Amino acid sequence: MNKLVILIAGIVWSWCACAQQTDTISGYHQTEDVVIIARAGSIWKPSSVITPLQRRQWIGGDVGSFLDAHGIAHQLVAGAAGAASSLRYHGLSSDHAVLTWHGLPINSVTLGTCDMSLMPLFFFDQVRLYETPSLSEGMQCGMGLTIDLRNEALEEGSSARIISGYNSMRNRLIGAEAKVSQALRGGVLSTQVRAFQQEMQNRYSYVDRYQIDKPVMWQKHQQGSFAGSHLDLEYKRGNRLLAARSWWQSKSMELPTVMGTNVQGTASQADDNLRTMLEYRWWSAKLSADAQLAYTQEKLHYLDEPYAIDSRIGSQMVWARGSLQWRVTPSWMLKSTVSEALVHVANTNYTDGQIRKTWAQYALQSHYFKKRHELDVNGSFDRRFGSEGWSAQGNYGYKLDRKAWAMAPQFNLARRFRLPDMNELFWMPGGNPLLRPELGYHGRAGILLLLGRETRTVWRIEPAVYASRVSDWIQWVPAEGSVWTPVNYRKVQTQGVELHAACEHRTDYDRTKWKLETRWNMNDVFWLDSTSAHTQRRMIYTPRFTGYQGVTVEHGVHAITLGYRCVSERFTDEMNTPHRALAAYGLCNVWYSASLKIHGAQVQLSCGVDNVFDVAYETLRLYAMPGRVLRAGLEFSFQSNKKNEPREIITLD
Amino acid sequence: MMKNLAILFSFGSLLLLNACKPDDVIVDNPPADTGYSTGAFVVNEGSFLQNNASITHVAEDGTVTNDVYYAQNQVELGDVLQSFTVIGDRGYAVLNNSQKVEVVDMVTMKHAGAISGLSYPRFMVSAGNNKAFVSNGSTDGTIEVVDLASNQIESSIAVGKGPQRMGVYGNDVWVCNEGGWTLDSTITIVNAASHNVIDTVFVGHRPSDIVFDQLGYAWVLCAGETFYDANWAVVGHSLAKLYRIDVAAHAVVSSIPVGLPGDHPTQLEISPDGQVLYYENNGVYRFDFVNADFPGDLIIGEARTALRIQPSTGQLWCASISDFTNPSTVYVYSATGAPLKSFTAGIGTNGIEFQ
């Protein structure tokens, strides 16, 4: 009876759902700054940052908001939490991170229209972070962080899923997924399709502290809709795999209102993206090879009538990558990768209406591991848009494994050469074709400790220190009129210390599980004044301290998480004007989920309160953030040949 | 075990709570109420959409105080400060992108009201009888007549496209219709008492600034226009020109090209004795139109903005802007261009108002 009541309530709730509101920063500049806190076990291997429990608690949620709320990332947003186009890591700029889809870079070669807040969590099976990715992964051109989005095919059987999400800002999300895996001519053909549709209003009130009488305002011009789908086909036979993937999404929305002025939001933006990929993989005991061929297409229309801006931009890219991996000895692996891309951008504001550019990257990796030692050395040579340069990286790790504890110190040194991307060079208006490439030297030292193994209470503690020195750092700044443009900062330095710790305690028979998680990051980022080598100013929008503390209790089908997220003060201008700094803030969140089985279907119910104490804060100057937000989600899933969900444990890797 | 967990969580929470405690905003102590009724006011436009426009006050003893409005009111002035005008004991900050005029008390610089209902305000002049004219509009332009007692708009007067600076001569206000986002070549003359348009004078492309000399002439600097094709490639320019207009007859007496094709100067000033013109064209020129030939003498070799002549001293004030992110530098020169002093102001300095 209780289960039936919950089910009915969930259906009614979903029916009343409003779309999740997400906003992108206006087309003036495409980059959002995010600070990443997370670390992988081995820093050059990816780690999946979304656990099955967190997926259950965030039904209907988006990737951007999730990363922010769990202290993995700090984002700048122009409206509802989660709007971000790109990422910042260890104080590095927002352009320094790379977003990839099955290895295809999707923000650096294109127009930068990759808003993490518009990527529903359910749309991807894996969101993997590479802290110091190997340059042999191809087309990185990042300075440390890569986020790779992937979907997994079913090994056998079939599954289906329907989800619905809603929040108190009147945003609604509906999605569906189907996966089928069947034997075919000695192999296995896996098909998966996913689709979603969002309606957004983003309706919330805020106190406009930038006006003399501090009126209570309602957010306006947040209307919009968003839809997406993907189709993946994989055929695996023996030691070969052939896959065809496609990802389409379309968005149309009005952009947010700015506080402190009487001007209401006047701009709108419509995006259409299509990404398709063919992938072939072959492997043997000693050798493996893979090839990818992709075609992407983007269209963007930005309109701001009062300011007479009407930009239509389109891009197409053909991208190919091939890699060969050779296991020379059981302890030593070599890998080489070649990537080439041909990009065409059409823009109504260009002199001749279009630009064609090529991009090539050649990379080598050597990975050696023996007993407790692991050494990875990789390098790449990039040639793009008339500039070229090389990067190199070395990682060393040591593992000491004991029955009750384990320890793994890790070190990373890198020289990274980053070429300006399409967005920085050619975005109209404001793109700067005269930008110089960046050159950075980076170092990181950390240690991973596992304590209490094979007991009911396990600890995982990861402290680390890091530093970077970057020349000709690219930063978007306001230019004349309504335009932002990227410029080079002569010298930027960043250094910091971070701590990621987790503790898990299980009671008898795993009835109840407690988990405590902490993520702290202390970071200093300074740039040298262009007029004086002795003047240091703090990089804009970079908090000195970010922290997250969460407690999760799982008991039976129920799970509840109490999280506290805090961000310290941030300057918003190059002169570090004190009264224009954004105040520090702390947000308390509560998330709950229940997992039920009803007539063979798995039903997940989630609800949560973000910003429980209705704190007023800003992450981007002049843009109001919503206060307390209630959200809920419901998921029905069916699966044949269901396997038990893997047990979440804290491990060394 | 659970007790240990609880202790650890509490400790961690305490650390987090203290680390992220909002700090008090640090603000320089504002000056005592010595008043802002004397001195100079540097108009700093700020960065578009950043709501960081500001006013810098320069006292008579040379003391420079930046962000005086914020210091007195603890709230930002607004977005894109286009101009600042003092009428009586009130200061009027015309905020183009905030679509309003912020009114301040000239003794305390505290908020004293606001004039709203404007779409694209640019400049403001006194029209006598406790009224003021505000130029407004990026295409079809109007002059908004404001009652200064109530800070309400009483009426609108249709003028040319993109009205900008205005000059007052006797009972008439001469409006430069600069064109805004389109193009115009006219000066509209409005009677300040009746609010009627009494004449239109045709000049060159983009009349940007106007001054009146002691001989009964108005001088209008027309910036000239840049022409583009459908793909926004530059295909040509019209010449900038300086026009001399008989004020009584409302008739153009003469005109002369300024600079080279591609130059688009917009700033024109006149000495306190009304006999020497100053204009900016990739440098500042001094043109004694009574005794010398055009173009005059180049007295400052670098590009400048916010060109103004201090009425009491005849000194030349102007600014240098590197970009719309960093503060500007204001320079003060003698009447013949000898440098006297400089100081740092706000972002995007575009004007100076003298008390």
Side-chain angles (χ1 to χ4, degrees):
Chain A
M1 186 60 188
N2 285 342
K3 291 179 184 178
L4 188 59
V5 169
I6 291 171
L7 182 62
I8 292 171
I11 291 171
V12 171
W13 208 344
S14 296
W15 181 73
C16 297
C18 293
Q20 175 188 28
Q21 181 179 35
T22 52
D23 295 302
T24 53
I25 287 283
S26 75
Y28 302 141
H29 73 111
Q30 287 289 295
T31 57
E32 302 289 338
D33 292 336
V34 175
V35 174
I36 304 296
I37 315 282
R39 280 184 306 287
S42 289
I43 56 175
W44 55 85
K45 294 177 190 168
S47 68
S48 184
V49 296
I50 305 176
T51 66
L53 170 62
Q54 287 167 338
R55 276 190 186 277
R56 293 199 298 273
Q57 291 178 327
W58 274 73
I59 296 170
D62 64 89
V63 176
S65 299
F66 176 86
L67 296 179
D68 188 78
H70 288 86
I72 299 169
H74 170 61
Q75 302 177 108
L76 299 190
V77 293
S85 306
S86 57
L87 313 164
R88 176 177 283 189
Y89 170 63
H90 282 170
L92 295 173
S93 168
S94 55
D95 286 348
H96 293 136
V98 175
L99 190 64
T100 62
W101 172 61
H102 288 278
L104 167 71
I106 57 176
N107 66 321
S108 54
V109 267
T110 60
L111 301 172
T113 55
C114 298
D115 193 330
M116 299 285 284
S117 72
L118 297 174
M119 295 179 183
L121 268 178
F122 101 98
F123 206 57
F124 306 101
D125 293 316
Q126 285 192 27
V127 176
R128 309 201 294 187
L129 298 190
Y130 294 76
E131 288 214 10
T132 55
S134 167
L135 295 162
S136 66
E137 294 302 313
M139 293 286 178
Q140 290 304 311
C141 256
M143 282 203 176
L145 185 78
T146 296
I147 286 192
D148 189 39
L149 307 170
R150 286 183 179 260
N151 290 313
E152 295 171 333
L154 269 186
E155 289 290 331
E156 58 182 49
S158 61
S159 72
R161 206 160 44 126
I162 299 171
I163 71 153
S164 172
Y166 159 79
N167 71 17
S168 55
M169 292 190 291
R170 301 188 183 181
N171 300 329
R172 172 179 60 80
L173 168 75
I174 294 175
E177 167 200 295
K179 293 189 184 184
V180 175
S181 190
Q182 61 196 61
L184 180 68
R185 294 190 177 185
V188 176
L189 175 66
S190 304
T191 307
Q192 55 173 310
V193 60
R194 230 169 279 203
F196 71 89
Q197 199 265 339
Q198 287 178 298
E199 291 296 332
M200 302 162 283
Q201 289 193 29
N202 254 348
R203 191 167 183 275
Y204 58 89
S205 67
Y206 61 92
V207 175
D208 189 343
R209 68 181 190 90
Y210 289 94
Q211 297 199 46
I212 193 87
D213 52 354
K214 295 182 177 35
V216 175
M217 307 283 286
W218 281 91
Q219 271 284 18
K220 300 177 185 177
H221 299 97
Q222 305 295 334
Q223 318 279 329
S225 61
F226 184 46
S229 69
H230 78 70
L231 171 65
D232 279 20
L233 298 167
E234 269 187 27
Y235 181 66
K236 194 169 163 183
R237 190 165 104 174
N239 62 340
R240 291 179 174 82
L241 180 140
L242 178 67
R245 310 184 195 281
S246 71
W247 175 10
W248 166 83
Q249 62 187 51
S250 176
K251 174 189 78 182
S252 171
M253 59 173 54
E254 295 187 34
L255 299 180
T257 308
V258 173
M259 290 200 284
T261 73
N262 291 329
V263 178
Q264 299 303 316
T266 58
S268 63
Q269 184 166 309
D271 304 334
D272 280 285
N273 296 314
L274 173 66
R275 299 167 182 123
T276 57
M277 179 192 295
L278 266 180
E279 189 175 353
Y280 177 77
R281 215 183 299 157
W282 170 87
W283 59 91
S284 69
K286 282 228 169 200
L287 276 178
S288 66
D290 70 79
Q292 287 173 297
L293 180 66
Y295 171 77
T296 69
Q297 184 175 290
E298 289 180 310
K299 289 180 199 168
L300 188 148
H301 180 208
Y302 179 79
L303 179 65
D304 195 344
E305 284 175 332
Y307 297 108
I309 297 175
D310 186 353
S311 285
R312 290 176 189 274
I313 310 166
S315 80
Q316 295 95 39
M317 177 180 75
V318 175
W319 175 83
R321 185 179 86 170
S323 71
L324 186 66
Q325 188 168 302
W326 176 30
R327 192 162 289 281
V328 183
T329 70
S331 301
W332 183 29
M333 180 272 291
L334 283 176
K335 183 176 179 182
S336 69
T337 307
V338 175
S339 310
E340 300 264 355
L342 173 64
V343 186
H344 172 248
V345 177
N347 188 304
T348 50
N349 294 326
Y350 288 161
T351 301
D352 58 358
Q354 58 185 339
I355 286 176
R356 263 198 191 86
K357 296 288 176 182
T358 57
W359 185 15
Q361 188 187 54
Y362 314 99
L364 268 178
Q365 178 188 12
S366 167
H367 189 89
Y368 177 83
F369 53 97
K370 187 137 190 179
K371 292 184 180 175
R372 300 191 189 117
H373 302 275
E374 196 169 1
L375 179 67
D376 188 285
V377 177
N378 50 85
S380 71
F381 181 80
D382 278 278
R383 178 184 292 137
R384 177 165 61 169
F385 311 146
S387 297
E388 57 186 40
W390 61 272
S391 302
Q393 177 172 242
N395 297 305
Y396 171 74
Y398 178 84
K399 279 185 197 174
L400 192 58
D401 231 324
R402 293 288 181 263
K403 190 178 176 189
W405 58 273
M407 177 181 77
Q410 296 162 350
F411 303 92
N412 167 268
L413 279 175
R415 175 195 195 271
R416 287 191 179 267
F417 184 82
R418 189 181 86 85
L419 300 165
D421 61 33
M422 293 288 293
N423 189 35
E424 292 158 340
L425 292 169
F426 303 121
W427 177 254
M428 275 293 176
N432 183 359
L434 301 178
L435 279 176
R436 294 184 297 278
E438 297 173 314
L439 176 61
Y441 292 90
H442 316 272
R444 184 183 182 280
I447 186 166
L448 170 62
L449 295 167
L450 273 188
L451 307 170
R453 296 169 89 183
E454 298 186 11
T455 69
R456 289 207 195 101
T457 305
V458 180
W459 287 88
R460 176 183 171 130
I461 303 170
E462 284 184 84
V465 294
Y466 58 85
S468 297
R469 299 291 183 266
V470 182
S471 302
D472 287 324
W473 168 298
I474 294 173
Q475 180 72 39
W476 287 78
V477 297
E480 194 164 353
S482 63
V483 172
W484 284 57
T485 189
V487 297
N488 289 112
Y489 281 8
R490 193 164 56 89
K491 292 251 182 261
V492 174
Q493 59 188 39
T494 166
Q495 54 266 341
V497 59
E498 56 188 356
L499 172 68
H500 181 203
C503 171
E504 191 175 283
H505 172 74
R506 293 169 183 271
T507 60
D508 290 344
Y509 307 112
D510 284 354
R511 270 197 215 107
T512 305
K513 191 163 68 175
W514 292 77
K515 186 174 178 183
L516 174 70
E517 190 171 14
T518 295
R519 284 194 176 98
W520 298 339
N521 186 35
M522 181 81 76
N523 170 264
D524 281 322
V525 187
F526 293 103
W527 60 281
L528 298 184
D529 191 289
S530 58
T531 60
S532 164
H534 305 290
T535 305
Q536 287 189 334
R537 300 198 191 279
R538 191 166 180 78
M539 185 60 70
I540 60 174
Y541 290 110
T542 308
R544 193 143 191 267
F545 176 84
T546 59
Y548 169 78
Q549 192 115 340
V551 175
T552 300
V553 181
E554 283 182 79
H555 181 79
V557 302
H558 305 282
I560 187 163
T561 297
L562 176 67
Y564 181 74
R565 170 94 171 105
C566 70
V567 176
S568 63
E569 183 186 70
R570 293 132 288 150
F571 291 116
T572 63
D573 63 352
E574 292 184 343
M575 298 307 295
N576 291 173
T577 308
H579 72 261
R580 295 202 178 104
L582 300 181
Y585 65 90
L587 305 178
C588 189
N589 306 312
V590 179
W591 306 308
Y592 164 82
S593 70
S595 193
L596 311 166
K597 209 157 192 175
I598 302 174
H599 296 299
Q602 192 74 30
V603 179
Q604 318 276 7
L605 178 67
S606 75
C607 60
V609 183
D610 298 326
N611 193 0
V612 171
F613 298 110
D614 203 18
V615 170
Y617 67 104
E618 287 168 73
T619 57
L620 185 65
R621 188 167 180 270
L622 305 178
Y623 288 91
M625 294 294 289
R628 186 186 305 120
V629 177
L630 312 177
R631 55 180 179 79
L634 187 66
E635 176 181 311
F636 295 92
S637 60
F638 312 85
Q639 187 164 357
S640 65
N641 300 328
K642 182 174 176 7
K643 293 177 182 171
N644 288 332
E645 197 170 80
R647 177 182 163 184
E648 292 177 39
I649 54 175
I650 296 177
T651 62
L652 189 62
D653 285 325
Chain B
M1 183 64 225
M2 297 314 301
K3 185 179 170 186
N4 291 340
L5 272 177
I7 291 171
L8 189 66
F9 178 68
S10 304
F11 176 69
S13 301
L14 268 175
L15 273 179
L16 277 178
L17 284 166
N18 276 302
C20 297
K21 191 167 58 177
D23 296 325
D24 290 334
V25 173
I26 299 170
V27 179
D28 291 335
N29 285 330
D33 277 349
T34 56
Y36 295 95
S37 50
T38 59
F41 298 89
V42 180
V43 178
N44 305 303
E45 201 174 291
S47 312
F48 182 71
L49 285 182
Q50 293 300 299
N51 203 35
N52 58 2
S54 67
I55 297 173
T56 300
H57 179 244
V58 185
E60 288 188 332
D61 63 359
T63 303
V64 176
T65 308
N66 282 305
D67 268 317
V68 291
Y69 182 87
Y70 184 88
Q72 296 297 331
N73 296 280
Q74 297 304 298
V75 71
E76 294 279 13
L77 177 59
D79 204 33
V80 185
L81 177 60
Q82 188 63 44
S83 60
F84 182 69
T85 301
V86 177
I87 303 175
D89 61 354
R90 291 284 187 263
Y92 297 88
V94 181
L95 294 152
N96 176 248
N97 201 48
S98 295
Q99 295 179 321
K100 67 174 181 180
V101 177
E102 175 69 16
V103 185
V104 296
D105 182 302
M106 285 309 297
V107 174
T108 62
M109 199 52 72
K110 287 195 186 293
H111 169 82
I115 303 168
S116 55
L118 299 158
S119 60
Y120 196 81
R122 305 294 283 178
F123 295 89
M124 187 167 176
V125 295
S126 170
N129 202 26
N130 218 19
K131 310 286 182 200
F133 284 3
V134 178
S135 55
N136 185 71
S138 57
T139 51
D140 294 326
T142 58
I143 296 299
E144 304 297 322
V145 182
V146 178
D147 173 49
L148 296 180
S150 61
N151 289 329
Q152 297 292 317
I153 295 175
E154 287 187 340
S155 60
S156 287
I157 307 167
V159 293
K161 294 190 186 300
Q164 291 278 354
R165 294 182 188 274
M166 296 170 283
V168 180
Y169 191 90
N171 290 327
D172 296 335
V173 176
W174 291 52
V175 182
C176 294
N177 301 309
E178 190 258 354
W181 295 341
T182 56
L183 184 61
D184 206 322
S185 309
T186 61
I187 303 289
T188 303
I189 304 173
V190 181
N191 182 272
S194 65
H195 304 166
N196 292 328
V197 173
I198 59 175
D199 208 347
T200 299
V201 180
F202 288 84
V203 291
H205 287 155
R206 297 206 175 275
S208 301
D209 209 347
I210 184 168
V211 296
F212 298 92
D213 66 21
Q214 298 297 316
L215 305 176
Y217 294 101
W219 295 82
V220 175
L221 179 62
C222 296
E225 175 70 336
T226 304
F227 298 104
Y228 302 89
D229 64 12
N231 290 324
W232 288 99
V234 175
V235 296
H237 301 270
S238 60
L239 283 175
K241 283 187 177 178
L242 184 63
Y243 282 77
R244 189 177 188 182
I245 304 169
D246 185 310
V247 174
H250 301 168
V252 173
V253 172
S254 63
S255 68
I256 189 165
V258 178
L260 301 170
D263 290 344
H264 298 291
T266 59
Q267 304 171 73
L268 181 66
E269 284 288 302
I270 195 163
S271 60
D273 63 5
Q275 293 188 6
V276 177
L277 290 176
Y278 295 85
Y279 64 94
E280 197 283 338
N281 185 27
N282 299 312
V284 179
Y285 290 80
R286 180 179 182 276
F287 173 43
D288 182 346
F289 58 86
V290 174
N291 302 307
D293 294 328
F294 193 80
D297 301 317
L298 178 65
I299 60 173
I300 299 171
E302 293 90 29
R304 292 284 184 257
T305 65
L307 181 67
R308 284 299 309 271
I309 303 299
Q310 188 173 21
S312 59
T313 64
Q315 290 174 349
L316 197 156
W317 291 51
C318 52
S320 166
I321 299 179
S322 57
D323 50 42
F324 282 84
T325 307
N326 288 296
S328 309
T329 303
V330 176
Y331 300 90
V332 183
Y333 300 88
S334 71
T336 54
L340 300 175
K341 67 176 181 181
S342 67
F343 56 89
T344 301
I347 297 172
T349 299
N350 69 6
I352 300 167
E353 176 79 1
F354 296 100
Q355 270 287 66

